[in-house]
Amino acid sequence: MHSLTSPLHIPAAIRFECTRCAYCCLSWPVPLNETDVKRLTGALAVSEEQLPLSFLSESERQGGLVGFTRALEKRPDGKCSYLIDSGCSLQNLAKPAMCQLFPYTFMDTPAGTFVGLSFASSGVINNSGKLLSEQATELASTLALFRTLFPQLEKETVAGWRAINMAEGVPLSYESYDQLEISLLNDLQQALARQGMTLTKHGTATAILSRFYKLLADRCPTAIWRENLPGSTARPKQIDQILLASFAAAYVDDSQNHKLLDDRLIAEAVSNFLMSPATGLLLPFAGAKFTMAQLLDSASGPLPPACEDLLVRFIYVRIFSKMYFGPGFSQLSLLAGVGHLVLLLSLARLSIKARLLLLKDTEGPDFKVDDDQILLWLTAIIRQVDSKFASARYGANTRAMLEILFLDRERCARLVNLSW
Ligand code: SF4
């Protein structure tokens, strides 16, 4: 059971029950430890060679999977080998430990352990079932399983929070972060209570995050900003578009769905574009390619309230569980972590806009799309973005690139404008 000395924090107003949607069985190969392999061979009465397994590489194991040696391979259709029409065929037999954890995440900090959720799950997307705050006993048991799978993680992660930065080279104490986070979580909780009904021009989640970025920016020393660096030849608007195009290819391109995110491709794409600026930058959305001019020619307008509610919940859970900067995500600074979240939200909105443009092309300019259809699109987009985000580990080049590119006070506001 969870130790009393390390409190378990549960996000407010968030619900979950498993709807047996099996989306968790589509996203990525399931990592297995030695106990999983033994249970599988025993329960299925097969040898290890007969199991659909691959070995994890050293770098995959170092990326947070130290105790895991193999992965359950997928079938050619991208589904887990043990997924059948009625769900997981291993459910009461030898369900791997990682699948038992899903969709929960746990983030250890100096102030206790924070619960998060994966938005790959339909139960999470729809906010269905009992409030998490009413499931504290079950959550404590799931945390106990998490502890057995990742015995070293608590100590390492807590230590990692002692070395966080507001921006690259500007240290931040965990206690100061905690103070900053209070107002952000309050804003998000108030927005959740309104269930997406009060929209600002650029959407509730993006407005709240952009405001937070500005608050952080105001606390950073003037000398760090890129525009104040001697010799800077920044082309800020073009770089905004390069960021959107490079991250769109990694996060929302349909052809990349169900593949693990390879952040080297992002860093490579950004640096290639920067070295020889592309004349015809194309953004991949909804199975087609769009120029920025096509996307800018029309405004998508406000999203339906249910979509705003989903975006706010997605951001609230990420912020609450602190899985967006520091030890929570690739050791990004707080400023770059918030900027990265704004970038992903902007991509989600641009993906919707691209789908509206495609439909208007085929059905005519007056064609109206109903709110339920837009919510279905957004659900698929958020599911893909969250799955990529959860499996992403940014290397030194990608981190350095984000740190530099988000040292621009106006970048977040411009990204939000571009996605409107
Ligand atoms: S083992 Fe079962 S729960 Fe895990 S991914 Fe495969 S089908 Fe899904």
Side-chain angles (χ1 to χ4, degrees), residues 81-297:
S81 307
Y82 294 102
L83 181 64
I84 54 173
D85 286 348
S86 55
C88 175
S89 58
L90 301 176
Q91 182 69 24
N92 300 313
L93 212 56
K95 190 170 172 173
M98 281 298 254
C99 302
Q100 294 176 45
L101 279 185
F102 192 86
Y104 299 109
T105 62
F106 297 97
M107 176 53 63
D108 295 306
T109 75
T113 305
F114 289 76
V115 176
L117 289 164
S118 162
F119 277 70
S121 152
S122 294
V124 176
I125 288 261
N126 298 328
N127 206 26
S128 53
K130 271 202 314 190
L131 286 167
L132 289 186
S133 53
E134 294 168 5
Q135 304 185 48
T137 310
E138 294 89 332
L139 282 170
S141 304
T142 313
L143 175 59
L145 171 63
F146 178 81
R147 292 271 183 253
T148 63
L149 294 177
F150 302 99
Q152 304 300 329
L153 206 60
E154 181 174 13
K155 210 167 146 211
E156 281 171 23
T157 316
V158 171
W161 287 108
R162 293 291 176 210
I164 53 175
N165 289 316
M166 174 78 96
E168 183 84 332
V170 183
L172 176 72
S173 71
Y174 181 81
E175 290 68 25
S176 305
Y177 168 70
D178 216 15
Q179 284 304 309
L180 288 168
E181 194 200 69
I182 289 171
S183 66
L184 176 60
L185 287 181
N186 275 343
D187 286 351
L188 288 163
Q189 278 172 349
Q190 279 175 23
L192 278 179
R194 295 192 292 261
Q195 299 200 315
M197 291 307 290
T198 52
L199 303 177
T200 66
K201 185 180 167 216
H202 291 127
T204 310
T206 37
I208 293 173
L209 271 187
S210 301
R211 205 160 58 226
F212 187 58
Y213 179 89
K214 190 164 179 321
L215 181 141
L216 301 179
D218 289 344
R219 290 174 180 233
C220 284
T222 317
I224 69 162
W225 298 101
R226 213 157 43 88
E227 60 265 29
N228 296 333
L229 296 180
S232 169
T233 54
R235 294 159 287 166
K237 290 186 182 164
Q238 192 174 25
I239 294 172
D240 298 339
Q241 296 176 18
I242 288 171
L243 265 178
L244 285 170
S246 308
F247 278 78
Y251 274 89
V252 294
D253 184 357
D254 285 2
S255 67
Q256 298 302 309
N257 205 355
H258 305 313
K259 288 189 195 158
L260 292 175
L261 185 139
D262 184 350
D263 78 296
R264 287 169 309 173
L265 298 180
I266 302 177
E268 236 171 70
V270 173
S271 65
N272 287 343
F273 283 135
L274 287 174
M275 281 189 288
S276 51
T279 42
L281 201 63
L282 291 174
L283 292 91
F285 291 119
K289 302 260 187 202
F290 296 81
T291 63
M292 205 66 218
Q294 276 175 299
L295 294 165
L296 290 174
D297 261 0

Side-chain angles (χ1 to χ4, degrees), residues 312-327:
V312 174
R313 269 189 292 118
F314 169 62
I315 291 300
Y316 171 68
V317 171
R318 276 271 156 194
I319 304 279
F320 181 87
S321 56
K322 295 161 222 336
M323 298 190 80
Y324 69 105
F325 83 108

Side-chain angles (χ1 to χ4, degrees), residues 390-407:
S391 64
R393 304 274 181 276
Y394 287 177
N397 287 346
T398 316
R399 282 201 305 269
M401 179 194 80
L402 284 170
E403 294 296 342
I404 293 170
L405 296 184
F406 279 103
L407 282 180

